[in-house]
Amino acid sequence: MVLFGTALLTPPLLAAAPAAMSLEAARRHWAFQPIRRPSPPAVRDSGRLRSPVDAFVESALAARGETLAAPAAPRDRMRRVYFDLTGLPPERLVVEAFERDPSPEAFVAVVDRLLASPQYGERWGRHWLDVARYADTKDLVLVYGRDALRPYAYTYRDYVIRAFNEDLPYDEFLRDQLAADLATPAVASWRLAALGFLTLGRLFDNNPHDQIDDQIDTVTRGLLGLTVSCARCHDHKYDAISIGEYYGLYGVFASTERPYVLPLIEDPAAVPGGPEFEERLAAARRELDDHLDAEHAKLTGILRSRLGDYLVRAATTEPDLTETAQFGLSLTPEDFRPALMLRTRRLLAARVNLEDRVFGPWASLTSALEDAPDGQAVRLVVPPDVNWNPQVIAALEGRRFTDRAAVARAYGELLLAMNDRHARDGSGDVELVALVSGPDAPMTFPRRETPAHMSRPDKDRYSGLAMALDKLAAHATNRPPARAMIVADLPEPLKPRIFLRGNPSRLGPEVPRAFLRALGDGEPHAFVSGSGRRELAEAIVSPDNPLTARVLVNRVWMHHFGEPLVGTPSEFGARSDPPVLPELLDWLAAEFIGSGWSLKSLHRTLLLSATYAQAVRTPISGTAASEPGAVLRRRLDLEAMRDSLLQVSGRLDLTLGGPPGDAAGDPLNVRRTVYGLVDRQNLPSLFRTFDFAAPDQCVERRPSTTVPQQALFALNAPFVLEQARALASLPEVVAAEDPGARVAALFRRVLGREPSVDEIRDAVRFVEVPTGGDAPAGPWELLAQMLMISNEAVFLD
């Protein structure tokens, strides 16, 4: 047997270099062309064709002087379709039944049975989790340590599995993941968990700009096959995507927040200990709310009283690193709050001019100071016919000012005095009071932003109380009632502005929250409903959008045939290669949309074709372009490999859903690998060894490596040895009458076939050779292990 194949004034925008692809050129690019439904081509020999898919493939092969490969053996087809749809091997009785009747009708029955199996959703849900960069933990290991678990992350994984099993239309599936909370009428509560698509990414040291960039990248590469994040600092180098469009999408996600009160999607009364847990959780939330309320009130009062200090600093200094730092600051009570300092600078940049009613005198005084000799004081001169606020004029006239700081200090004193009068008896000038305590005042901030302004001890307490909510759930004795990790729209959506060169402290022009112009009529149609998430979802799943269906169809083809039709599944832009079979890609996309976006219908279309029934071929270059429509030999991925070991040993637990377990380190864990804990910061070595998708970003396809560690795992891992012992102890194996029959029982169980005479002879010789005292198991266990890790078991033909 063979083992595993081993300054804050907004500067003018510089004239941007023209984009590498104009909107006009984008509309001519193959991926941006409208989806059409071409007629299947006529082919000379149509006897083997079972599907329009075959006509497209056979036509392409005929142009090369080739034809479809011979049909695969019935056993190979059974293994292929079982692993493709469920990630598990077929039982021997299933293989034997199909060997007796390999008719198309019999294969249809097999496909329908597998698509109806709960294991289908587990298999195809895992493919989607690669795209969604799913993980069960946070990435701030130095902050969270052993408490990095996101206790409700699994609800997103369970949503995906259930959605695939119920054949939720793909357009609805995507709407859920972007805006399930905004649906009208409301969706079933379990579908709120879909919003984990937006909330389960990296935290990037709590840098909100990077978190939003991750959301943009996951949505656009995962759903549209476009690298929109490349336009974060400048217009896209290759595609017709401007920096303004990037920040239009930025505005959508920046107009949401991640509430720490998550909605229940399960009745606590249905969970053992659920009501008691909810009482403890409610008490912990009340403590957090009380702290947040107290800090918001305290900080609001303190920071408003320091308005004059902020005005002086803004008037006399340039921004420094403590202001422009995006995250990670440890503040003391005396420190200037960076976000509020920036708001103060922006206020002055926008309003210090002679026409402004409040800040016109400021502009006049600073202009006079610039013209005056050093050290000479100036007085306010009120020109005729100005519309300056009389309270400001009265406060400044007659005073001598020697520098900008004095002007700023005088404004601070005036504004605070007016605010105090208004609070005392309502007599303060409303226009001036608004600059202290109005909704747009630089020192006014919503309750949700309070943690960003807290001093270190108060922030530490807040962080501890917030972490306690997750810790309470993560360390609960019984499983807590399930909750959805949602996002929610802010009361007022953000009006996004371009960050010049990606720097959030250098603001450029305002842009609308809108979809990509290249996928519409070329105009930025602004989203007007809340954050715009629902409108974004509708734009993505619109039948007029040529990318969404093509991207999904391409990925499904890749998982069934080994190579995609478009070699870059997450890049359909200018840098992509054109599809190998463009008419087939369009026909499949049109068929997919026409079926009501049914993924199961798409599977049937592909799997019932003669193309899928072919014997495997090994292209010279290993790409789809070298053999259009070929079925390629593939090694089982991590999940299928581990699950098949459990299946053939008779130990696989097929329980659906629930919190994750240790699939990598616990040899006694017998649940499917899709339920194994994915630790983003410390991905288990088993996962890395077998090319698991890196959970830090949207993964278009997994790598395929052959390294010694794979064979070492197969030979030495306690998990493998545990399955070998269980397999050798199965009643059907132990009850065999003689060694040859016992060997045959192992072959039937593991490989789904009868052994040859030579294989029986060699296997019996193997078990009769005495094992050394240091052998990890007995001879029959070692034989079982050799069969389970053989190339025949871990490769699909």
Side-chain angles (χ1 to χ4, degrees), residues 505-671:
S505 67
R506 299 184 63 224
L507 296 184
E510 188 173 306
V511 293
R513 299 186 308 280
F515 195 45
L516 303 175
R517 292 178 300 152
L519 295 176
D521 60 8
E523 296 297 326
H525 297 287
F527 297 149
V528 296
S529 177
S531 65
R533 284 184 291 122
R534 182 69 181 183
E535 292 162 284
L536 174 61
E538 293 297 341
I540 288 175
V541 301
S542 168
D544 295 330
N545 178 353
L547 291 176
T548 305
R550 283 185 178 129
V551 168
L552 190 280
V553 163
N554 188 57
R555 285 204 175 99
V556 173
W557 181 280
M558 174 180 69
H559 288 303
H560 281 315
F561 291 87
E563 282 289 330
L565 294 171
V566 180
T568 49
S570 293
E571 169 59 287
F572 275 42
R575 301 286 284 176
S576 66
D577 292 327
V580 175
L581 298 168
E583 291 193 331
L584 174 57
L585 180 66
D586 263 20
W587 185 88
L588 288 170
E591 189 78 4
F592 179 48
I593 295 173
S595 71
W597 300 84
S598 167
L599 195 61
K600 289 188 177 183
S601 176
L602 177 60
H603 286 304
R604 291 186 184 93
T605 299
L606 296 177
L607 300 182
L608 300 181
S609 67
T611 303
Y612 183 76
Q614 295 176 98
V616 299
R617 287 197 261 188
T618 304
I620 296 173
S621 65
T623 67
S626 63
E627 290 282 352
V631 180
L632 305 184
R633 192 170 197 246
R634 291 166 281 156
R635 190 183 67 204
L636 299 183
D637 58 20
L638 166 69
E639 292 88 346
M641 180 270 293
R642 181 181 176 276
D643 294 350
S644 65
L645 293 178
L646 289 168
Q647 173 90 328
V648 299
S649 68
R651 303 181 68 234
L652 181 63
D653 178 359
L654 292 177
T655 302
L656 292 171
D662 183 4
D666 181 5
L668 301 181
N669 185 318
V670 296
R671 297 203 66 199

Side-chain angles (χ1 to χ4, degrees), residues 673-727:
T673 312
V674 70
Y675 301 117
L677 186 139
V678 180
D679 189 338
R680 170 172 278 126
Q681 197 74 10
N682 187 25
L683 197 64
S685 59
L686 171 64
F687 287 26
R688 297 194 303 271
T689 296
F690 286 96
D691 304 319
F692 187 78
D696 280 345
Q697 61 182 346
C698 172
V699 173
E700 66 173 20
R701 63 192 303 186
R702 295 187 183 184
S704 181
T705 64
T706 301
V707 294
Q709 291 89 335
Q710 294 164 354
L712 291 173
F713 170 83
L715 290 169
N716 303 313
F719 174 82
V720 178
L721 296 174
E722 190 69 29
Q723 310 325 311
R725 293 188 186 98
L727 172 60

Side-chain angles (χ1 to χ4, degrees), residues 727-737 742:
L727 172 60
S729 302
L730 287 174
E732 64 197 78
V733 176
V734 174
E737 297 178 355
R742 199 169 182 180

Side-chain angles (χ1 to χ4, degrees), residues 387-408:
N387 187 30
W388 292 349
N389 185 295
Q391 298 282 0
V392 177
I393 295 174
L396 300 181
E397 270 190 317
R399 297 180 61 170
R400 295 163 55 86
F401 298 94
T402 57
D403 53 30
R404 290 172 177 267
V407 176

Side-chain angles (χ1 to χ4, degrees), residues 9-332:
L9 287 176
T10 303
L13 281 174
L14 298 176
M21 180 186 283
S22 65
L23 284 173
E24 292 72 22
R27 292 192 180 95
R28 295 192 296 270
H29 181 60
W30 68 265
F32 291 83
Q33 295 291 309
I35 294 173
R36 54 193 180 86
R37 197 176 191 279
S39 299
V43 295
R44 182 174 302 174
D45 181 9
S46 59
R48 283 187 56 192
L49 306 191
R50 299 177 189 166
S51 160
V53 172
D54 304 327
F56 289 105
V57 173
E58 182 69 13
S59 177
L61 290 172
R64 300 156 54 104
E66 300 173 7
T67 188
L68 291 172
R75 172 178 170 272
D76 291 339
R77 289 181 64 193
M78 278 298 97
R79 280 177 52 81
R80 184 187 301 170
V81 73
Y82 262 76
F83 275 110
D84 274 2
L85 289 182
T86 68
L88 296 171
E91 295 182 354
R92 176 57 189 163
L93 292 178
V94 172
V95 176
E96 289 177 345
F98 190 65
E99 286 176 328
R100 289 192 299 270
D101 177 19
S103 67
E105 294 75 20
F107 193 71
V108 169
V110 169
V111 169
D112 286 343
R113 184 172 69 250
L114 295 179
L115 289 174
S117 163
Q119 285 68 59
Y120 160 76
E122 294 171 323
R123 177 60 170 169
W124 280 84
R126 182 57 254 184
H127 291 323
W128 182 259
L129 297 179
D130 287 4
V131 175
R133 43 67 170 127
Y134 174 82
D136 292 291
T137 64
K138 307 162 189 171
D139 53 302
L140 299 177
V141 66
L142 296 180
V143 175
Y144 297 107
R146 296 173 61 86
D147 298 314
L149 180 71
R150 281 174 163 149
Y152 302 110
Y154 75 91
T155 62
Y156 174 73
R157 176 245 291 149
D158 288 355
Y159 160 82
V160 171
I161 291 172
R162 180 172 176 179
F164 275 85
N165 275 333
E166 295 188 6
D167 200 21
L168 186 69
Y170 185 64
D171 58 339
E172 286 298 309
F173 181 66
L174 297 189
R175 288 188 184 97
D176 281 358
Q177 295 181 80
L178 295 176
D181 57 316
L182 304 177
T184 304
V187 296
S189 62
W190 68 273
R191 290 171 62 175
L192 291 175
L195 291 166
F197 184 71
L198 297 178
T199 59
L200 288 175
R202 287 181 57 197
L203 295 177
F204 296 95
D205 293 324
N206 286 325
N207 180 347
H209 309 298
D210 285 350
Q211 292 173 10
I212 293 170
D213 182 72
D214 170 66
Q215 291 172 323
I216 293 171
D217 184 60
T218 303
V219 168
T220 57
R221 286 204 301 125
L223 312 186
L224 299 171
L226 292 177
T227 55
V228 174
S229 282
C230 293
R232 181 178 182 178
C233 303
H234 48 73
D235 289 346
H236 200 290
K237 191 173 181 180
Y238 304 108
D239 293 328
I241 302 169
S242 69
I243 187 173
E245 291 173 285
Y246 173 90
Y247 284 100
L249 293 176
Y250 176 97
V252 171
F253 299 111
S255 297
T256 66
E257 62 179 339
R258 305 181 189 191
Y260 58 79
V261 179
L262 303 176
L264 280 165
I265 56 175
E266 184 178 34
D267 183 1
V271 180
E276 293 78 11
F277 173 83
E278 288 301 310
E279 291 178 5
R280 295 194 299 273
L281 185 64
R285 280 206 300 261
R286 284 194 297 272
E287 188 176 3
L288 176 59
D289 284 337
D290 291 345
H291 179 62
L292 199 56
D293 289 339
E295 282 298 304
H296 183 254
K298 180 182 77 173
L299 283 169
T300 297
I302 292 173
L303 292 170
R304 284 177 178 168
S305 71
R306 294 193 62 199
L307 176 60
D309 297 335
Y310 279 76
L311 290 172
V312 170
R313 182 181 175 94
T316 60
T317 67
E318 293 292 329
D320 61 23
L321 289 177
T322 63
E323 289 180 35
T324 57
Q326 299 171 18
F327 54 94
L329 290 178
S330 179
L331 298 170
T332 69

